[in-house]
Amino acid sequence: MKYLSEYRDADVVNKYLDELHEITTKPWTIMEVCGGQTHSLVKNGIIGLLPKNITMVHGPGCPVCVTPLQLIDKAVYLAEVQKVILCSYGDMLRVPGSKKSLLEAKANGADVRILYSPLEAVKLASENPDKEVVFFAVGFETTAPANALSVLHAQRQGITNYSILTSHVLVPPAIDALASDEANVVQGFLAAGHVCTIMGISEYYPLVEKYKMPIVVTGFEPVDLMQGITMLIKQLENGEYKLQNQYSRVVQPEGNKDARSVIEQVFEVREREWRGIGTIPISGYEVKPEMKNFDANVKFNIQIEAQPNNNECIAGEILRGIKKPMECPQFGKKCTPLHPIGAPMVSSEGACAAYYHFANINAEHETV
Amino acid sequence: MQNTKLYKNNLYKVMSNSISFSSLSCPMPKFDFDTINMGHGSGGILTHQLLNSGVFSILQNDMLNQKHDGAIFTANGKLAFSTDSYVIHPLFFPGGNIGELAVNGTVNDLAMCGAMAKYLSLSFIIEEGLAMKEFWEILVSIKKACDKANVQVVTGDTKVVEKGKGDKIFINTSGIGIMHPHANIALSNIKEGDAVILSGYIADHGVCIMSKREGLEFETDVKSDTVNLNFTIEHLLNEFGNEIHFLRDATRGGVASVLNEIAKDGNLGVDILEKEIPVKPQVSGACEMLGLDPLYVANEGKFMMVVDAAKTQDVLNALRKDTNGTDATIIGHITKEHIGQVILQSRIGGKRVVNMLPGEQLPRIC
C-alpha cells in the first residue's frame, strides 16, 4: 500500500532506533500531544524499544478525554429530554457524564447513533424532517472542517432541523498552557501532523521561541514517530530549539486554506474548559453568533450546570505529563475501560486506556 | 369451515409444487400472504399455513414430518450439545444470510467441541411485517447449509412479535453432535510450547457486515466467510486425534477474545506475532478507516487450534490442504511466562498486551 507500508517497515524503524540509541546521552522527557500518536506508540510497542532515558509523556491530544463533563451532560439531556437524534463519533459514547454516559442513555431508549461523518447527520436530518438532529461535534482542528462543512451543507439545503453541539479544542494554546505550567517537565513536543495539515505550522514558531523548546510536527506511522522522536532528541542533544516538519509528505507549511476558510465561516475562537486541565484562553471553537440557528446550545436553550469532576481521577496530572497512568491509585482497579472513572480511560487514544489495553499493567516497567 | 378448506387447499397447492434442492435456485411457492403478521404466531390456521407451506415443506425429513412436539431419536455414545442465537443486521450480506449463519454457527460450535453435528432445533422470532420472500430465502439457505453440513433440523418453533419489538427475524439453533472418538479438546490439555494455529484470513465477516450497515456503507468486495467447519475438523481429528489440544472458532470478539480465553481461563501465557496473522489488504484498510482493530472483528468461518509442538507442521500441512484452511498460519505459542496475558510482537518488533474488549468495539474519532 503506497504511503503506508513504507512507513511500517521494520528495517527503517530499526535504523532510527539504532541512531537514537547512539545519539541519546542524557535523560529527556518529551510529549506527543496527539492521542492518535499515543495510540500508535503503544499499539506498535514503540515505547519499550526506545532508549531507557527517553521518557514519553502522553499529552492532552485526545479530544474525547478533554471534553468537559458538562458537555456530556448536555448531549445526554438533548437525547433524553429534547428527544433529538443525537449523533456522535463512536468513542464519545462511553465517556461518563455526571450521571450517565451516552451509551447508558441509548440503552434507556434515547436515539443515539454512531456516525463516521457529520454529513451523514445532515442526511439524517433531511430524511427525518419531523425530528431534530444534533451532531456532537467533538475534536481538534482536524475534525473542525468536516463539522463546519455539515453546517454549511445544512444551510445551503435549507435544512432547519440540524444543529451541532460543539466541543472543539485547539492544539497551540494547549502547548502554551502546558509549557508555561510551573510543574512542567516536558522538554520537547511532537506536534500533531493532521492538525497541521489543516492549520499549517506557523502557529508553532512563537511557541518554540517563547519556551526555547524544540517542536517537531510528526505523523502517526511507526517510521514517522521514530523519525520525529529522533529529530527531537537530536535537537535536544545539540542544545537547539527549532520547528521541524517530519510529516512534510502531508503537511504544507501554509496548511489547507480551503479547510480553514470553512472553519472560519462557522466557528470563532473562544475560551474553553479542558476536562482535567481547566480553562485555557482562546483554546476552542464555538459556533459564530450569525450561525446560531445551527448551535444546539442556543437552539435548545440548554441550561445544564457544571458538575465537579470525580476527584479520584488524576486525569489533569496525567494529561499534563506530571504523572503516569500507572501512578494513579485507581488505574486498572476501580477505573477500567469497562467502568471508567475518567475520560482518558475511555477512548483508545486516551493515555490511560492506551496503557490499559496495550501495556502490561502488572509489569514494573511501562511496557513489556 | 371455510378457513380449514383454505388451509387444506393451500397445503395441497404447496405440496404439489415440487421443490428441487439440487438446483441452485429454489422458487418460492405461491402463498396467500406477502408478509408475516401476528396471526402467523397465533398457533392457529395462519401458523399452520406458514409452517406447512414454508418451514416443513422445505426442511422436511422423517423426524420433522412427525410434527411432534419434539424429536424422538436413538443415540449411542458420547454426545455434545450446543446453542446459539442469531440477531444479525442486515439479514442479507455478501457471502450469506442469517439462515446459513444460524446453521453453520451451531454446527461449528459443536465441531469445536470435537463433535459432528447431527440434529438441530430451529426457532424463529419474527417481527411482523417480514416479507415472505425474505423468509423463504432464509429457509432455502438453511436447507442448503444443512445439506452441506449433513445435519437435519428435527424440531423447531415460530413466534411472531409486534412491529418494533424485534429486528425482522431472530433465529436460535441448538444442536446435538456425536463426539469424534479421538477428540479430547479441553483447555486443561494445553501445555507450554504448544503452537497456536489460525485457519486463515481474519475479520472478513465483521468488515463485510459493517460495509452494509446504514450510515456506514462503503464499497468493498469483502464477503462473509460463513462456512461449516465440521468436516475440516473431522479430518484433522481423524489424522491427529488428541495431538489437537484445543479448538475454538473466532466468532464474536474475534481472534483476540479467543486468545484471551486461552490465557485467562487456561491460566497460561500466549505469545503471538502480528506479521503471521493473515489480514486481507482491503480488510485491513477498512479497519483503519473505521478505527477498528481486526483482531477483535468477528469471523464466521475461522478457527484457532492449539496443537502439540511436535506435530505443529504436520497439522498445518494437513489443514492447508483443506479448502477451509488454505491460508492457515502458526501465529504463536503457549508460554508459562506472563500467565493470563496475550502478548503480541508488532511488525516492527515492539510488544504489547492484547486485552479483552471492554464492551462493544467503538470506532475511534480520528
Side-chain angles (χ1 to χ4, degrees):
Chain A
M1 208 178 292
K2 198 75 184 144
Y3 294 124
L4 202 51
S5 55
E6 309 91 304
Y7 295 92
R8 294 174 182 178
D9 188 313
D11 292 340
V12 184
V13 168
N14 282 323
K15 188 177 83 64
Y16 282 112
L17 267 177
D18 291 344
E19 188 180 350
L20 204 53
H21 278 275
E22 208 171 288
I23 63 170
T24 310
T25 62
K26 300 183 198 115
W28 299 109
T29 300
I30 60 177
M31 175 183 276
E32 84 282 1
V33 176
C34 171
Q37 291 168 333
T38 307
H39 182 85
S40 183
L41 282 174
V42 186
K43 181 172 179 255
N44 291 294
I46 292 173
I47 299 168
L49 299 173
L50 296 175
K52 289 279 171 259
N53 46 6
I54 296 178
T55 303
M56 297 297 299
V57 168
H58 316 302
C62 160
V64 173
C65 304
V66 296
T67 296
L69 204 59
Q70 192 183 13
L71 266 167
I72 312 284
D73 289 347
K74 284 182 180 181
V76 169
Y77 163 82
L78 286 171
E80 286 196 329
V81 182
Q82 295 288 345
K83 309 277 182 211
V84 308
I85 301 176
L86 197 285
C87 308
S88 170
Y89 295 120
D91 47 4
M92 279 309 295
L93 262 64
R94 213 182 288 134
V95 184
S98 65
K99 290 190 184 67
K100 65 177 80 165
S101 65
L102 282 169
L103 208 57
E104 287 165 312
K106 183 172 183 271
N108 292 341
D111 195 347
V112 178
R113 304 192 193 185
I114 296 175
L115 298 184
Y116 278 89
S117 160
L119 296 181
E120 289 289 336
V122 177
K123 194 171 152 219
L124 210 55
S126 77
E127 289 166 356
N128 295 276
D130 54 333
K131 296 279 283 183
E132 283 289 333
V133 176
V134 178
F135 188 77
F136 199 177
V138 176
F140 278 81
E141 293 93 325
T142 330
T143 50
N147 292 342
L149 196 62
S150 75
V151 168
L152 296 180
H153 268 245
Q155 189 185 42
R156 207 170 297 146
Q157 293 171 41
I159 293 170
T160 55
N161 60 326
Y162 177 71
S163 56
I164 58 173
L165 181 64
T166 317
S167 179
H168 269 297
V169 280
L170 308 174
V171 169
I175 293 185
D176 200 355
L178 290 165
S180 62
D181 191 324
E182 279 177 12
N184 176 47
V185 293
V186 177
Q187 294 162 298
F189 289 93
L190 299 180
H194 51 16
V195 168
C196 297
T197 308
I198 308 292
M199 305 305 289
I201 60 172
S202 61
E203 295 172 288
Y204 296 86
Y205 286 109
L207 292 168
V208 167
E209 286 304 319
K210 184 174 171 187
Y211 298 104
K212 307 206 179 317
M213 214 182 253
I215 298 180
V216 179
V217 176
T218 305
F220 302 86
E221 297 300 332
V223 170
D224 290 322
L225 286 159
M226 285 310 307
Q227 192 183 17
I229 293 168
T230 308
M231 288 161 81
L232 199 58
I233 296 296
K234 244 186 217 170
Q235 287 199 52
L236 288 167
E237 287 282 346
N238 293 338
E240 296 168 339
Y241 53 91
K242 292 184 290 196
L243 178 68
Q244 290 178 310
N245 183 6
Q246 178 279 330
Y247 207 34
S248 58
R249 71 181 184 279
V250 177
V251 174
Q252 300 299 312
E254 69 281 7
N256 183 332
K257 285 179 187 162
D258 292 340
R260 277 208 309 281
S261 144
V262 170
I263 294 175
E264 283 156 16
Q265 288 174 62
V266 176
F267 294 127
E268 62 182 24
V269 177
R270 291 209 210 136
E271 175 183 276
R272 164 131 230 122
E273 186 204 336
W274 294 54
R275 188 171 183 163
I277 291 182
T279 302
I280 303 178
I282 57 157
S283 70
Y285 286 136
E286 292 286 354
V287 177
K288 282 177 152 180
E290 52 265 45
M291 289 289 191
K292 65 174 191 278
N293 291 345
F294 297 97
D295 185 345
N297 271 307
V298 177
K299 191 173 199 175
F300 298 97
N301 189 25
I302 308 174
Q303 305 290 332
I304 300 276
E305 281 183 26
Q307 299 293 324
N309 285 311
N310 187 320
N311 57 14
E312 288 176 304
C313 176
I314 61 161
E317 288 167 281
I318 289 168
L319 298 178
R320 281 181 293 164
I322 297 166
K323 283 198 174 159
K324 296 260 169 188
M326 281 85 123
E327 292 175 68
C328 172
Q330 308 304 340
F331 179 79
K333 297 184 179 83
K334 204 167 166 185
C335 185
T336 65
L338 200 57
H339 296 288
I341 293 178
M345 188 53 100
V346 177
S347 167
S348 59
E349 293 179 18
C352 299
Y355 267 76
Y356 187 89
H357 283 302
F358 298 132
N360 185 347
I361 59 169
N362 296 320
E364 285 177 22
H365 297 293
E366 283 183 10
T367 53
V368 289
Chain B
M1 193 62 199
Q2 208 176 3
N3 279 347
T4 314
K5 200 174 158 192
L6 177 73
Y7 161 49
K8 281 183 178 162
N9 282 345
N10 192 48
L11 182 62
Y12 171 75
K13 205 158 45 186
V14 174
M15 296 290 273
S16 64
N17 191 343
S18 70
I19 301 162
S20 164
F21 292 105
S22 55
S23 62
L24 276 174
S25 67
C26 193
M28 185 170 79
K30 191 167 163 29
F31 291 99
D32 294 336
F33 43 88
D34 294 331
T35 57
I36 292 173
N37 61 47
M38 291 301 291
H40 289 104
S42 66
I45 290 168
L46 283 173
T47 307
H48 282 256
Q49 278 187 16
L50 180 69
L51 295 182
N52 287 327
S53 3
V55 182
F56 289 147
S57 71
I58 198 164
L59 297 175
Q60 55 184 300
N61 58 60
D62 290 347
M63 254 184 274
L64 197 64
N65 292 349
Q66 302 289 321
K67 297 185 183 172
H68 226 313
D69 271 353
I72 301 164
F73 52 84
T74 309
N76 294 314
K78 216 171 171 184
L79 303 175
F81 181 41
S82 183
T83 189
D84 210 339
S85 297
Y86 302 85
V87 295
I88 195 163
H89 177 92
L91 299 178
F92 301 91
F93 44 82
N97 66 47
I98 189 171
E100 59 196 287
L101 208 62
V103 173
N104 291 340
T106 297
V107 165
N108 292 348
D109 282 349
L110 288 168
M112 297 305 134
C113 300
M116 301 307 116
K118 191 151 176 69
Y119 302 124
L120 291 185
S121 74
L122 173 68
S123 287
F124 298 112
I125 295 175
I126 301 171
E127 184 187 28
E128 65 175 329
L130 177 71
M132 200 49 216
K133 198 166 156 274
E134 289 185 308
F135 186 53
W136 182 258
E137 201 175 327
I138 290 165
L139 282 174
V140 171
S141 291
I142 288 172
K143 172 64 179 169
K144 285 181 179 169
C146 283
D147 287 351
K148 190 164 172 245
N150 194 24
V151 64
Q152 288 183 333
V153 171
V154 294
T155 187
D157 183 45
T158 303
K159 295 283 190 306
V160 181
V161 295
E162 287 169 23
K163 191 88 183 161
K165 299 279 171 66
D167 191 5
K168 286 190 158 187
I169 187 168
F170 298 147
I171 303 179
N172 171 277
T173 55
S174 295
I176 288 177
I178 297 167
M179 284 298 290
H180 191 286
H182 302 149
N184 183 13
I185 312 297
L187 274 171
S188 55
N189 292 341
I190 303 176
K191 58 181 197 302
E192 188 177 8
D194 281 0
V196 181
I197 294 177
L198 172 62
S199 69
Y201 284 95
I202 63 164
D204 287 9
H205 176 75
V207 164
C208 157
I209 297 301
M210 269 178 273
S211 75
K212 297 296 163 207
R213 289 222 170 124
E214 293 92 350
L216 279 190
E217 288 119 309
F218 54 91
E219 287 199 15
T220 174
D221 56 359
V222 178
K223 285 185 183 155
S224 168
D225 58 350
T226 180
V227 75
N228 60 303
L229 296 166
N230 50 335
F231 299 123
T232 305
I233 299 299
E234 189 177 24
H235 295 151
L236 290 168
L237 287 170
N238 286 344
E239 204 169 338
F240 301 101
N242 59 10
E243 315 274 13
I244 298 170
H245 295 164
F246 186 73
L247 288 166
R248 188 149 294 174
D249 48 350
T251 52
R252 191 176 38 170
V255 167
S257 300
V258 174
L259 293 169
N260 270 285
E261 283 159 13
I262 294 171
K264 290 181 172 60
D265 300 339
N267 215 24
L268 299 156
V270 184
D271 281 327
I272 56 166
L273 296 167
E274 188 178 32
K275 69 178 169 63
E276 296 301 330
I277 299 170
V279 189
K280 290 174 187 157
Q282 61 271 46
V283 171
S284 168
C287 285
E288 297 220 5
M289 190 175 78
L290 299 170
L292 302 174
D293 185 341
L295 279 177
Y296 293 94
V297 176
N299 309 278
E300 287 295 341
K302 298 298 169 336
F303 64 99
M304 295 165 79
M305 260 195 295
V306 182
V307 300
D308 197 276
K311 284 285 176 187
T312 309
Q313 204 54 50
D314 294 342
V315 175
L316 185 69
N317 293 342
L319 178 55
R320 282 181 173 168
K321 283 181 195 145
D322 190 292
T323 50
N324 295 325
T326 44
D327 303 302
T329 55
I330 300 164
I331 62 163
H333 291 88
I334 303 296
T335 170
K336 282 283 181 192
E337 287 170 28
H338 56 81
I339 299 287
Q341 283 186 323
V342 179
I343 292 188
L344 172 142
Q345 185 176 323
S346 74
R347 272 191 188 80
I348 61 157
K351 288 183 177 175
R352 66 171 161 103
V353 172
V354 177
N355 262 314
M356 278 279 196
L357 203 60
E360 202 181 349
Q361 188 171 208
L362 296 174
R364 289 169 55 223
I365 191 165
C366 53

